[in-house]
Amino acid sequence: MSPVIASQLQRTFRALAYPGFRVYAAGQLIGTLAFWLQTTAVSWLVLELSGNSGTALGWTLALQFGPYLLFGLQGGKIADSFDKRRILLLCSLGSATVTATLGAVVLTGHIELWMVYVGMFAFGSVAVVEGPARQAFYSELVDIEALPNAVGLGSAIFNTSRIAGPALGGLLIALTSTGAVILTCAVVFLGPALACAVLLRRPLTNPVHRAADAGGIREALRYTAARPDIIAVLVVSLLVSGFTFNFALTLSMLARTEFNTGADSYGLLLTALAVGALAGSLASGRRSGRPTLNTMLVSSGLLGVGTLLVGLAPTIWGAMILLGPTGFAMVYYAQAANQRVQMGVRADYRGRVLSLYMLVFLGSTAVFAPLVGWIMEQYGARTGLWLGGLVAIATPIALAFAKRAQIRRRATALTGKAMP
């Protein structure tokens, strides 16, 4: 291997030089595979139970991410207050318990739609605590200069599972049943618990020491309110995530109602999206510093263009081809937003500020997914993709104009002359 290639590989995977990160990454690979298997199986189960109702599928997503709206900030407070290894171990066991219960009910043949809703709300309630702890834990496993790479590789792990999970899930549903797949996920969810049990016996690379003035949720909100750079991330994430990051909803409806295909084809659509997303994860992981606001805005616009084109694709093969670059832009944008938050806040505030970010990023799905599902049910599956694409294009343009107007006002106040 040439020195140039070796250097590039070292840069792309430098976080793996930390033993603790390697253990954690292995557990996350297993856990995210279970997540995508479950997402595929539950989405298909809801469509079966509801007669292809986009509204029902939208409510499923809303209830899964709804807990972020109710007590998302509490999850961040827990992440900043306790050992994240113990938090993640308990959350892994909680996810396995919820999923096993839902799978068992499905296999008995007594499953009803409301039971799926309850199960997804319970699963989301565990994720409220797990999410901020998982995101903030990267900074304790590696040194700060390797943090962008650790976050990028974490996303790459997630998207590697996104590639394998839906395709494998669709195949397993076709060969067995949704209940069997969901029950299998419960066992696979134990992987992260095992990794955290191993990490509890090892010292951390960069443990966080909580300062006396770190306070609680109110102090974290004041801290965020005084940071315009973080506020900009939250505003864009609210709209782009809420209307565009609904691919589990939009692609399942597209596969079932526009292309008239089965669960295996739906899995292939998600896999095509994930191939591009994996490439975007590795590309974003090569950053050595905090990404700029322009990086986030441009990648959001490109995501919007890709989503619009997917909505216009005449065949499933055309949609799969377009989903590759769309997935790249999706993750490149999401990682730019995540890294701007991760690398822009104090370490002892990181869990709470990340929980606020996740409340906006994931909680917006709970707010807008039922609306997107209803629009698709009334006007066709493609309209959900068109709407998401337009929002992802319009939001960064509006923010760029607002930023320019703010700069002009400041210049006018300083010089007394209006900028052209």
Side-chain angles (χ1 to χ4, degrees), residues 1 34 37 95 159 164 172 178 210 230 242 271 313-314 321 371:
M1 183 182 297
L37 281 171
S95 297
N159 287 294
L172 290 176
T178 53
R210 187 177 174 87
I230 304 297
T271 299
I321 292 171
L371 174 62

Side-chain angles (χ1 to χ4, degrees), residues 2 27 50 90 123 133 146 154 162 211 234 268 287 297 363 376 388 415:
S2 71
S50 65
L90 293 174
F123 187 85
R162 191 200 292 250
L234 297 179
L268 290 175
R287 297 189 185 109
L297 297 182
M376 290 194 298
T415 64

Side-chain angles (χ1 to χ4, degrees), residues 77-215:
K77 182 179 179 181
I78 292 171
D80 280 339
S81 302
F82 300 99
D83 189 326
K84 297 176 183 63
R85 294 167 293 185
R86 297 185 187 279
I87 296 171
L88 292 169
L89 190 154
L90 293 174
C91 286
S92 179
L93 296 176
S95 297
T97 301
V98 171
T99 304
T101 302
L102 180 62
V105 175
V106 175
L107 286 176
T108 64
H110 295 95
I111 188 68
E112 296 182 21
L113 192 57
W114 69 267
M115 298 177 186
V116 181
Y117 289 162
V118 171
M120 287 300 95
F121 184 83
F123 187 85
S125 298
V126 175
V128 164
V129 179
E130 186 268 348
R134 171 171 44 83
Q135 290 290 331
F137 192 41
Y138 289 123
S139 65
E140 299 189 43
L141 291 167
V142 301
D143 293 318
I144 190 64
E145 62 270 13
L147 180 57
N149 186 247
V151 174
L153 290 181
S155 177
I157 289 167
F158 185 80
N159 287 294
T160 299
S161 299
R162 191 200 292 250
I163 291 171
L168 180 60
L171 178 63
L172 290 176
I173 291 170
L175 293 176
T176 57
S177 66
T178 53
V181 175
I182 293 171
L183 201 59
T184 300
C185 294
V187 178
V188 183
F189 268 128
L190 297 176
L194 178 60
C196 289
V198 172
L199 288 172
L200 278 168
R201 304 175 66 87
R202 299 185 177 187
L204 295 172
T205 298
N206 191 29
V208 171
H209 301 288
R210 187 177 174 87
D213 64 345

